[in-house]
Structure formats: structure tokens, C-alpha cells
Amino acid sequence: MIKNVLKSLEFLGTRQFRITSRTLTMSKINSPYFKDVLTPELNQLSEIFNKNGFEIRIAGGAVRDLLMGKSPADVDFATTATPDQMKDMFTKENIRMINALGEKHGTITARINDTVNFEVTTLRIDKVTDGRRAEVEFTKDWQIDANRRDLTINSMFLGLDGTLYDYFGGEEDLKNRVVKFVGNPVTRIQEDYLRILRYFRFYGRIADSADNHCQDTIDAIRDNVQGLDIVSGERIWSEWKKILVGNYAGELTLKMIEVGLGPRIGLPSDTNQEEFNKVYKLSQEKQLSLAATTLLAGLLTNEDEVWKLQARLKLSGAERDNALFVVAHREEKTHSEDPLRPYQYLYVDGKTKEIANFIQEFLKYRGETDLLQRFQKWDPPKFPLTGHHLKEANVPPGKAMSVVLTKIKEEWKLSNFTMPLDTMISRIPDVLDSISVDDLRRAPPGGGKRKREKSKQR
């Protein structure tokens, strides 16, 4: 192992940097997955850089995963070559380049043998940052590039000969399951406030206990939560939902609330932490994997709070509707004959194709594993009576037709879904005669639910 004391630049503001000392540790990686990364296409890419006098190394998350004995899902690369130099090299070698949008950030994507894409990014300095985006300047200094990265465990490089270049003790932090920012945590956070959520996400992936945070990191986050106000809801949700389905999802979410993130990320000021804790503990005890918004619904008291969360995070329609469904139906449901029956009723009355998923998430929310298994095995019946049958029976269109369908459907449900179609058709005249003014007044207009939802979104 070779250790050299080196100097680094720490960003302070517009074109201001602080010189700091640190130690470079070099060692050889020992990972069974490293050989899998060294494909013929990567070797071809490496030869192009070597032939032109430039270095190329594996960067960031792939290095972390290899050190943890995992096969990396994505492998990114860093180089001393500038984008223009890369374009010249690849053009001479007849290598196709794609995704020109990355060039302004220093990334060139080369497609080798028309089969594998390699994203290669020039080493850089973040000259000016606004808390989300940075104006970059290219450099050939690996240490400076490492210094601008967020966490020590993400700041390592790996040479294609297996040499690990570790500038901030990332390998040691990984062994100790410690998640720390590179250098000053306040500086790193103020460069990009989304790093607050990235910290919690990586804590869930790396740490071996639920509450072993470095106090200076937590203090830095607490003092800078207001910075998340400038971060888009989509980016916040992209990080947070990974936290909610990862290790220590409950503990980390409550820690986020404790340090003041709640109102910044769409939560009400008074969250329902007792309900959230109950749901999370049930999911852990019964080994149930809850969708992100299923667990998140435990913090919310009513549907209005779901809509406010949606306004901040821009949840997908299915994610929003799942949370709305859980909040609306989470109270215990009973039936004198069969406890599954209320959930079967919810299914056949459902107006969306995701209703089965919503019911399963709701049953997981309540920890009802037996009912969940029964529901998953149930073959749902289809209500056979249609508007065509009612039209042939001279039921007037509009609200009357809606009321007749609803009343006969209720009878079908009470028959445990066994009432034959002929019986339903024979019931139409009597049901039509039984309709009251109040029935018509309560009946929603056509498309009522969709109209209400659109109105709510506006």
C-alpha cells in the first residue's frame, strides 16, 4: 500500500478554493466481479485512451459496489481527456458517439462495437454552484475531481489494472459502514442541496445500524434544510422513494423529520408518527415489502395532506392514488361471513385498473398477511349486467341508469357474486320502480370521479 500526502482544493464560492491536506491510499482491489467489468469492449476503449496518452478510470458508485462485493449495475468512467479530445479520438477510430446533451457537463458517450455504451466524463472543478447546478471547469487533477464529489464512499477511482485510488478514506469508511461527506459537510451540502437526501439514501445502503450518524453531518443537514426549497419535487421524490423502500426506511424518514426536512419535502407540520411507526414495525415483523407511498401514507392524516404532498413531489398518478386509497380505507373492515368480503367489494367497485394493487398494498399496510394471500389467489368475477341490458329494458339514460346498475350490483355482491344475469335482468323493472328522488339526487353525474380529481389538481 502506498501513501502520499497530497494537496486538494475545497470550493468556497465563486472561483474561491481552500487548499487542504489529505492522504492518497493506493491498493489493489480484490473483487470477483472486477473481471466481469473488464469486457473486450472496455479493453478496446482503454486502448484508445492509452494510445493517445490519456488516463481512464472507473469512477464513483461502481467502485463502491465492487469493494462491497457487488456487481455494479452501472459503470461510469472518468478521464484526463477533455470532451473535444475524446471526440477527436473517437472520430479517428470510427467510434460512434451518442447523447450529445452530456457534453456540456464533460460527458461523452461512446458506443463500442455497436453493442455497449460507455459514459466517460472529463475530470472537473465545480467553479460556481447555486445549490443545484454547477458551472464546471475541466482539469487533469484526479484529486481535485475527487474533492468535489459528495461522499467519501463515492469519491474513489479504480484503474483498469485493479489499482484503487482513495483520496478521502472511502475504503475505510466502507469497511466501517460509515457515511460521511467529503471534507466539510456544510460545503458539500451547499454545493447541491439534494445531497441531503442522497446522504440518507446511502446511509440506508451502507450502514449496519439504524442510528449511527456522525453528529457533524446531522448538524450540517439541520442547518441547511431550507436549501431543499430550491430543489424540484421530482428530484426529491426520486431520492426519497428509494429511502422508503430501503433499509431503515422508518428510522431514516423519522430522522429526516427530526432535523426539519418535513415541511421542505411536502409533509404536514404535524405528522402522524405513531401510525407510521406501527405500520413500519408491522412490515418488518411480517417481512412485507411496502410500496413507497404505502408507508408514506402512515404519516398523513387525511386526503388533503396527500394532495399537498402530490403538489410538492409530483407523484405519479398511481403513486398518488395508492396513498389516497390507503388513507381513505385504512380503518379495520369487518364482515359477518367472511373477512375477505369487504376487499372483494372494493375490487368489484373499483374504477381504476390499479385497484388490485391498491388493495394489496392496503392489506400489507395493515399487516393482514392471511387476507393478502387469499386475495392474491382469488379469481375476481365480472359484473355481467351492462348499460346495453338496461337500455333494452327501457331504463332512461342518465342518473336513473346509474342508480339501477348500482342497486342491482349491490344485490349481486350480497349473493357472493353468484346472481345469474337472467335474474338481474328480471329485477330491472322492480328496481326502476323503487328509485326515489333522493336516489337520483345522490347519484353522481357521468365521469363524476374524474371531474372531481381534475378539479382537485387545479
Side-chain angles (χ1 to χ4, degrees), residues 178-201:
V178 173
V179 183
K180 295 191 298 189
F181 285 102
V182 171
N184 185 336
V186 173
T187 301
R188 295 287 84 82
I189 290 170
Q190 291 180 354
E191 289 169 346
D192 182 354
Y193 290 103
L194 189 63
R195 286 174 172 173
I196 290 174
L197 289 170
R198 281 177 59 82
Y199 165 79
F200 287 108
R201 174 161 69 89

Side-chain angles (χ1 to χ4, degrees), residues 298-313:
L299 288 168
L300 308 176
T301 304
N302 52 53
E303 294 183 12
D304 282 342
E305 291 180 353
V306 177
W307 284 104
K308 289 175 182 176
L309 188 76
Q310 152 73 16
R312 177 65 178 106
L313 299 182

Side-chain angles (χ1 to χ4, degrees), residues 41-57 76-90 93 95 97 106-112 118-123 140 142 160:
E41 289 80 11
L42 177 53
N43 289 332
Q44 181 181 341
L45 181 76
S46 176
E47 288 173 6
I48 295 172
F49 280 86
N50 290 337
K51 184 168 66 176
N52 287 273
F54 299 108
E55 287 186 89
I56 183 171
R57 298 175 187 171
D76 295 323
F77 299 87
T79 181
T80 53
T82 66
D84 286 340
Q85 289 167 332
M86 283 192 277
K87 287 193 293 184
D88 289 343
M89 287 190 300
F90 294 143
E93 297 288 339
I95 300 295
M97 289 168 279
T107 300
I108 300 295
T109 302
R111 186 167 178 81
I112 304 295
F118 294 96
E119 286 191 2
V120 189
T121 302
T122 304
L123 300 178
K140 294 182 181 295
W142 293 92
L160 300 186

